[in-house]
Each structure stands twice: as C-alpha cells, then as structure tokens.
Amino acid sequence: MIEEMKAVTVYGPGDIRMETVKLRPLKPDEMLIKVAYTGICATDLAIYTGECSFVKSGQIKYPCRIGHEWSGIVCECGSEVKNFKPGDRVITDNGVSCGYCEKCLEGDYGNCLNNKSVGTIDCWDGCFAEYMYMPERHTYHIDDSMSLKDAALVEPMSIALAGIKKYDITSDSRVAVIGTGAIGIGAAVLAKHLGAKQVIIVGRGKAKLESALKCGIDAAVSTHDGDVVKQVMTLTDGEGVDFTIETSGGEETIMNSVHITKKHGTIALLAFYEKMINNFDIDAFVGKEQIIKGVMGEFGLVEKAGKIMEQGLPLNGIITHEIPFAECVDFIRNYKDTASTRIKALVKFD
Ligand SMILES: [Zn+2]
Ligand SMILES: [Zn+2]
C-alpha cells in the first residue's frame, strides 16, 4: 500500500508548490495509476499566472492541482474494476463523470451533471503528481506500439482532433493552421493524415516552424517574413484556404484567419484568448459569409485520438523538453525562458 506521494498545487497567482500529500482509499470503480509522463499545457501556465479566463470567472478555483495531459501505469485496482490489472499502460479522459446522475446512469458520461475536469474547471486532482485516481470508465489501454512518452500527447491531439473533425476534409481541401504549439502542429498533422491537398502552418519562431515541417506539413509561413495574408495567398495561388484552425490565442490572428480563408470558408477557434477581442473587421467577415466556430475538447475524443496515433503519426519534433518531476516547479516558474523553443514540455516521473 502506497500511503503518500509528491504532488504540485497552484495556491494562487505565482504561488506553486510541491508538497507531500496523503493518498485516500480507492473507491470500488477506481484505479490508482502511477504517472509516467505529464505534458505542460498553456492552460497550466495560465492557471499558474492567474491570467486564465476560467480563473477570473471563478470556474477554476485555487488551490488547484494542475495537469491534464498524461500517461501512466496501473498500480492498484478497486474491487469492481474488470478490464485492467496492475502493470497495464493507460491514458484517460480529461474529464471525470460522477457515475450516479441520470446522464451517467444512461451511460452518457460526456453530459454528466456533476462533471469534473482534470486539473482545471471543478478540478479533479491533476497529473502533476506521482499518482492519479481514475474510474475505469474513463481509462483506456494503449497499444504496445505506443510509448508512454507519446501517449502523453494523446490529450492535446484529442483537442486538435476536435478542431479537425468539424471539417469535411477531402483531397481537394486546403487547410491553414495558425499556431505552432502541440495542438497546432497536431491539427496540421491530422489534416495531412485525412488527405488534405495542402496544409500550411503559420507561426512566429523559425525553430518551431522547422519542427512542423519535419512532421510532414506542406508549407510554413513565418510572421517574421512579412505579411502573413500575402504569403498564404501566394502559396494558395491567390485562392486562400477552405479551412483555418486558429490555435495561437493571438488577437490579430483571428483577423488574419478571416483574410486567408475563402468565401464561405470555415474558421475554428481552438484556443483561449484570456481577454476581450477588439478591432475585429466584422464587415470583411460578413462579406465573405464565413463561419467561425468555437471549439473545445469533447468526451470520447481521447480514445479516438489514441487509436489514430497508434497508426503512427509523424509527431517527432513536438516534444522539445523533458524535465524530471523534481524540477518541474522551477521549470514552470521560469517558463518564459523556454518560450521561443518550447512546443511540448513533458515532465518525466521516476
Ligand atoms: Zn492542455
Ligand atoms: Zn454524472
């Protein structure tokens, strides 16, 4: 029996601490899972700084045990767990249903009336910790072919998939992705995987754009090389793209999305902006009769993204940093130092 563990909690803006916490008894439908890798997400950093809109709205409360991107190995199983045993390699959903409300009793866990989000809103204690509790209904086996390290990318890939699945991508589609974080590059890789004719990624730093090209994306456009809209228009023979996926969270990129997308095209916003947006050229948008969709992750996509990744996606180059758990608090405090090179930083547990 393991009695205590080290875990990282944000107590308020700028106040992050690693501490020793006691483990509680396992519920019958739960497993205790030893965390192998945890991804550091922009949302974790925004909770740490206090800039996160959900902190401001009161939906994320301190203290908050952050972390929602992870993989691990089953350690103990509750008495009702049927399909897992100690030693199994797993990933999980990023939300945890209650299991007893009317929706849960119908098996509709995605619409649970008492849902908790892992490491964020109505916080289910997150994965900046040596162990996680998770009900069996939210846990998935991973194939032997997938490493625990790659498995920690499944959750951000599930968000990328949420953006991509809004589109009917065909071999005629041109797609632009704005943003070179893990979700941006992931969305671009998925668009290629689904057979898009042309996928263009737009970003700032050359190093991250180079990593994106290594993942098989057709073209990269840098804001350092002049007008982004002109560059995309040139690459698309003056047509613009059918679909744009905006993942950067930058205010000006929403307007660029309108300009680089064709008439009747669709734009998915797959980021949080953490502020109100001004200077939106609404008439350009209306004139092009476009659709802008706000997109969040949704229940069921972690399992689907895991299955797609098991087919082998070219995601090499996304993991730019690997930090031992003991050093992760320092890494988060100094996260600005790695901003220009960091795509996905993973925390590795012993
Ligand atoms: Zn995330
Ligand atoms: Zn429920």
Side-chain angles (χ1 to χ4, degrees):
M1 276 294 287
I2 306 140
E3 283 172 0
E4 53 181 38
M5 66 168 173
K6 290 237 174 353
V8 171
T9 300
V10 179
Y11 278 86
D15 183 1
I16 184 168
R17 306 176 210 166
M18 185 177 294
E19 40 192 18
T20 300
V21 295
K22 290 244 174 302
L23 292 179
R24 61 167 170 78
L26 213 51
K27 292 179 187 151
D29 62 344
E30 280 181 346
M31 292 178 271
L32 187 69
I33 305 170
K34 174 100 177 67
V35 178
Y37 287 93
T38 285
I40 301 181
C41 176
T43 301
D44 301 320
L45 300 175
I47 296 171
Y48 163 66
T49 61
E51 283 159 14
C52 179
S53 351
F54 297 116
V55 168
K56 291 177 183 159
S57 69
Q59 289 165 279
I60 294 178
K61 294 181 184 65
Y62 299 119
C64 176
R65 172 95 48 81
I66 53 172
H68 54 273
E69 307 177 358
W70 67 292
S71 62
I73 299 173
V74 175
C75 196
E76 284 175 40
C77 293
S79 57
E80 290 171 8
V81 172
K82 291 186 186 76
N83 297 312
F84 294 85
K85 58 181 188 319
D88 285 354
R89 297 165 352 115
V90 296
I91 53 173
T92 74
D93 289 320
N94 53 12
V96 179
S97 62
C98 71
Y100 56 77
C101 72
E102 56 185 272
K103 294 289 179 191
C104 283
L105 292 178
E106 289 167 9
D108 184 9
Y109 303 124
N111 289 308
C112 169
L113 303 174
N114 309 301
N115 183 65
K116 289 177 187 282
S117 300
V118 177
T120 58
I121 294 168
D122 299 320
C123 189
W124 179 272
D125 281 344
C127 54
F128 277 78
E130 291 177 294
Y131 295 90
M132 282 287 282
Y133 296 92
M134 193 57 62
E136 177 171 21
R137 62 183 174 279
H138 292 299
T139 308
Y140 309 99
H141 290 282
I142 55 171
D143 194 79
D144 291 343
S145 62
M146 184 154 47
S147 66
L148 284 163
K149 197 162 149 178
D150 283 346
L153 297 176
V154 173
E155 196 279 344
M157 285 303 284
S158 78
I159 309 292
L161 183 60
I164 285 289
K165 79 188 249 310
K166 302 285 170 195
Y167 297 138
D168 196 8
I169 289 179
T170 68
S171 55
D172 282 332
S173 308
R174 295 187 199 262
V175 179
V177 177
I178 303 179
T180 49
I183 293 173
I185 297 177
V189 168
L190 283 170
K192 268 322 275 184
H193 179 76
L194 293 173
K197 173 166 77 180
Q198 186 184 30
V199 180
I200 301 167
I201 191 153
V202 180
R204 272 194 294 249
K206 296 267 168 148
K208 294 186 194 179
L209 288 168
E210 286 296 322
S211 298
L213 290 174
K214 277 184 203 139
C215 296
I217 295 154
D218 298 306
V221 163
S222 167
T223 52
H224 294 311
D225 294 337
D227 189 335
V228 163
V229 176
K230 272 193 197 141
Q231 291 185 68
V232 174
M233 284 313 203
T234 304
L235 283 166
T236 55
D237 311 316
E239 284 187 16
V241 298
D242 301 281
F243 309 118
T244 296
I245 299 167
E246 204 303 282
T247 68
S248 76
E251 185 172 344
E252 67 293 345
T253 60
I254 300 179
M255 210 50 244
N256 283 343
S257 300
V258 171
H259 291 313
I260 65 176
T261 306
K262 284 181 190 170
K263 188 165 184 174
H264 301 139
T266 311
I267 299 160
L269 303 183
L270 200 51
F272 291 113
Y273 297 82
E274 320 294 7
K275 61 179 170 188
M276 307 295 264
I277 299 293
N278 296 312
N279 302 318
F280 182 74
D281 186 354
I282 185 79
D283 290 344
F285 166 68
V286 173
K288 290 178 107 174
E289 300 182 310
Q290 294 170 331
I291 297 168
I292 296 184
K293 295 182 181 189
V295 181
M296 298 244 302
E298 59 189 79
F299 185 75
L301 290 184
V302 164
E303 190 180 13
K304 281 203 184 102
K307 292 272 172 275
I308 294 172
M309 280 178 65
E310 280 169 6
Q311 298 167 30
L313 291 184
L315 296 173
N316 43 314
I318 285 192
I319 300 167
T320 50
H321 295 76
E322 199 175 308
I323 315 122
F325 179 53
E327 292 168 25
C328 76
V329 166
D330 265 350
F331 188 89
I332 289 175
R333 284 185 183 134
N334 300 306
Y335 75 96
K336 284 187 178 149
D337 297 351
T338 52
S340 65
T341 54
R342 175 169 30 85
I343 299 175
K344 179 55 68 186
L346 290 186
V347 177
K348 184 183 192 301
F349 294 75
D350 294 328

